[in-house]
Amino acid sequence: MKNKYLFPILALLLIVNMGIYFLINPSYEKSMQAKYYYEIGDYKEAYKLANEAFSKDVYNRMASTIMAQSKTSLLYVDYINQAKEYLIQINIIAAKDTISKADRARIKMMSEVVIDSYVKLAPSIITNKTLVEDAAKYHDDFEKLLEKVTK
């Protein structure tokens, strides 16, 4: 009868000890904070905290994963911000009465930069779908713009 309850009790104690270690360990505590910031979309803070957690414990896979995902998400954010900036500049050029050859060349160059930068992005399953969709939308918009400018 004693053996029947011994294994579940030992398993429960092991799980409790693992949970306590996970909550008390400073590396995993930082990882949990990094996960929170990643989920709310603050990728810079998530990367910073995950990097701190990883530097405390290089075997912390959670920190490693969050650090990699935050870095990928930051690349997407930078890409989207660059595309928005270029669209603002292009709209200023397009508001003019006439568009010179130099302005057309500038629009073409900006479009090519955005299109080429998109190829360097590497989404994963965990990457925020909104970021991936927004980046794809900007890529498509700039491809259409480049097509119009090169006509």
Side-chain angles (χ1 to χ4, degrees):
M1 197 69 163
K2 288 182 185 179
N3 290 337
K4 182 179 179 183
Y5 296 108
L6 184 62
F7 180 72
I9 291 172
L10 289 176
L12 182 63
L13 285 174
L14 179 65
I15 291 171
V16 168
N17 282 338
M18 288 173 54
I20 290 171
Y21 175 78
F22 186 76
L23 293 173
I24 294 176
N25 186 311
S27 176
Y28 286 100
E29 182 181 349
K30 291 269 187 202
S31 294
M32 293 298 291
Q33 291 173 347
K35 178 73 173 165
Y36 169 75
Y37 282 106
Y38 181 82
E39 291 298 325
I40 64 169
D42 189 350
Y43 305 116
K44 285 182 183 177
E45 186 66 19
Y47 183 82
K48 181 183 137 210
L49 289 169
N51 194 16
E52 289 175 18
F54 189 73
S55 68
K56 289 181 181 184
D57 181 4
V58 294
Y59 297 109
N60 185 338
R61 295 195 68 180
M62 182 180 186
S64 175
T65 301
I66 295 169
M67 197 167 54
Q69 288 307 123
S70 296
K71 189 173 183 179
T72 301
S73 296
L74 284 170
L75 290 174
Y76 272 91
V77 169
D78 290 344
Y79 174 82
I80 291 168
N81 288 338
Q82 181 185 38
K84 287 178 182 178
E85 178 73 27
Y86 284 172
L87 277 178
I88 291 169
Q89 292 177 20
I90 290 169
N91 285 332
I92 291 170
I93 293 170
K96 296 178 183 176
D97 292 333
T98 59
I99 299 175
S100 67
K101 285 186 179 183
D103 286 338
R104 282 183 177 272
R106 190 169 173 210
I107 291 171
K108 181 181 177 202
M109 181 196 64
M110 286 188 272
S111 298
E112 288 172 345
V113 167
V114 172
I115 291 167
D116 291 343
S117 297
Y118 183 77
V119 176
K120 297 173 187 169
L121 298 177
S124 71
I125 296 170
I126 306 172
T127 306
N128 186 330
K129 289 189 186 307
T130 306
L131 287 176
V132 175
E133 290 168 359
D134 287 351
K137 180 187 171 295
Y138 280 113
H139 176 259
D140 293 342
D141 290 348
F142 274 94
E143 277 187 334
K144 291 174 188 171
L145 182 62
L146 181 62
E147 187 179 310
K148 287 179 183 178
V149 171
T150 56
K151 281 185 180 178

